[in-house]
Amino acid sequence: GQNIDQPTEMTATEGAIVQINCTYQTSGFNGLFWYQQHAGEAPTFLSYNVLDGLEEKGRFSSFLSRSKGYSYLLLKELQMKDSASYLCAVIGGTYNTDKLIFGTGTRLQVFP
Amino acid sequence: DTGVSQDPRHKITKRGQNVTFRCDPISEHNRLYWYRQTLGQGPEFLTYFQNEAQLEKSRLLSDRFSAERPKGSFSTLEIQRTEQGDSAMYLCASSSIAGRTDTQYFGPGTRLTVL
């Protein structure tokens, strides 16, 4: 089956660093995405990893270990506007198609 | 460069009625996806088009659901005989097979409430 796990909720303080973990067990794997979703809005693309290692993009970094089925999203210098849900999604599944398989999302609250 | 657009943004209907949603993808994108998202959950895949061909349908998509992409541009998702369990956010995403990644870009969604 397909299983993607991430913590339900996290809290952090403005200016701090937070790491959101994601573990996955899927039949196929063509890459892992992180999306940000503010309440009532559509998901917006943050990062994509297909090879092992760290991808850095400004304040956000994403790491992937395919052998461990593990990824994390690192958010630095947190701002209030970073309060949102963060969705981990794997591309490819049983039929190795391009559909995204999402976790339930991690709701991050940033406090002043 | 306009993003993915969806219409309507909100729809309230009575149980048993039919509803239709429209999605206009990013103009050069040939792949189009529909997802459904309920509160507190991640989006769930419904169906996928490459150009006008519907290449995959989820088992979540009952016979009451049908999607089309007649000219390989915009797509419609119709739900017949709506049920309260159909209440959700319906998200459309598009992507292009060109380039290094197949990043899917999402529209604003259509929030359906079935009374």
Side-chain angles (χ1 to χ4, degrees):
Chain A
Q2 321 289 358
N3 196 41
I4 299 178
D5 287 320
Q6 48 182 134
T8 305
E9 290 192 2
M10 297 183 72
T11 59
T13 305
E14 196 174 15
I17 300 172
V18 71
Q19 177 174 312
I20 303 174
N21 296 323
C22 171
T23 58
Y24 63 91
Q25 290 177 307
T26 57
S27 302
F29 183 84
N30 283 332
L32 187 143
F33 289 82
W34 284 95
Y35 284 83
Q36 180 190 61
Q37 187 176 30
H38 285 99
E41 298 181 9
T44 55
F45 168 73
L46 288 178
S47 69
Y48 169 72
N49 293 73
V50 65
L51 300 175
D52 289 353
L54 189 68
E55 294 272 348
E56 296 186 81
K57 190 186 294 186
R59 294 189 299 115
F60 294 2
S61 303
S62 57
F63 172 83
L64 175 67
S65 169
R66 289 173 298 171
S67 63
K68 295 181 179 178
Y70 168 70
S71 173
Y72 68 73
L73 180 70
L74 193 70
L75 292 76
K76 302 176 186 176
E77 301 168 14
L78 280 173
Q79 302 175 10
M80 297 296 290
K81 67 178 181 180
D82 297 329
S83 293
S85 285
Y86 291 86
L87 300 164
C88 173
V90 170
I91 192 162
T94 306
Y95 302 106
N96 211 31
T97 64
D98 297 316
K99 65 185 177 189
L100 288 171
I101 304 164
F102 282 90
T104 56
T106 298
R107 185 179 165 209
L108 174 66
Q109 287 186 285
V110 180
F111 293 99
Chain B
D1 177 32
T2 58
V4 179
S5 61
Q6 293 186 245
D7 183 69
R9 296 290 304 276
H10 302 273
K11 179 71 178 178
I12 300 174
T13 192
K14 292 183 179 178
R15 189 176 53 188
Q17 298 295 305
N18 298 345
V19 294
T20 301
F21 309 143
R22 176 179 170 125
C23 170
D24 286 88
I26 294 171
S27 59
E28 64 269 23
H29 284 183
N30 57 347
R31 293 181 168 178
L32 187 147
Y33 310 79
W34 286 97
Y35 293 86
R36 179 172 66 189
Q37 186 176 25
T38 53
L39 198 62
Q41 301 296 314
E44 294 177 295
F45 170 77
L46 293 179
T47 191
Y48 153 55
F49 290 86
Q50 184 164 318
N51 299 312
E52 64 275 10
Q54 188 174 19
L55 297 186
E56 187 176 351
K57 286 175 62 172
S58 165
R59 285 173 291 179
L60 293 174
L61 220 61
S62 76
D63 291 344
R64 297 184 297 105
F65 288 70
S66 62
E68 293 183 342
R69 193 181 183 198
K71 296 181 181 178
S73 56
F74 73 91
S75 174
T76 58
L77 177 68
E78 181 183 17
I79 309 174
Q80 296 182 324
R81 304 182 302 282
T82 52
E83 301 173 356
Q84 287 185 327
D86 298 331
S87 295
M89 174 77 88
Y90 289 84
L91 293 164
C92 176
S94 71
S95 71
S96 171
I97 60 174
R100 184 176 76 93
T101 65
D102 189 22
T103 301
Q104 294 180 28
Y105 295 92
F106 285 82
T110 294
R111 181 169 295 283
L112 173 66
T113 302
V114 182
L115 302 175

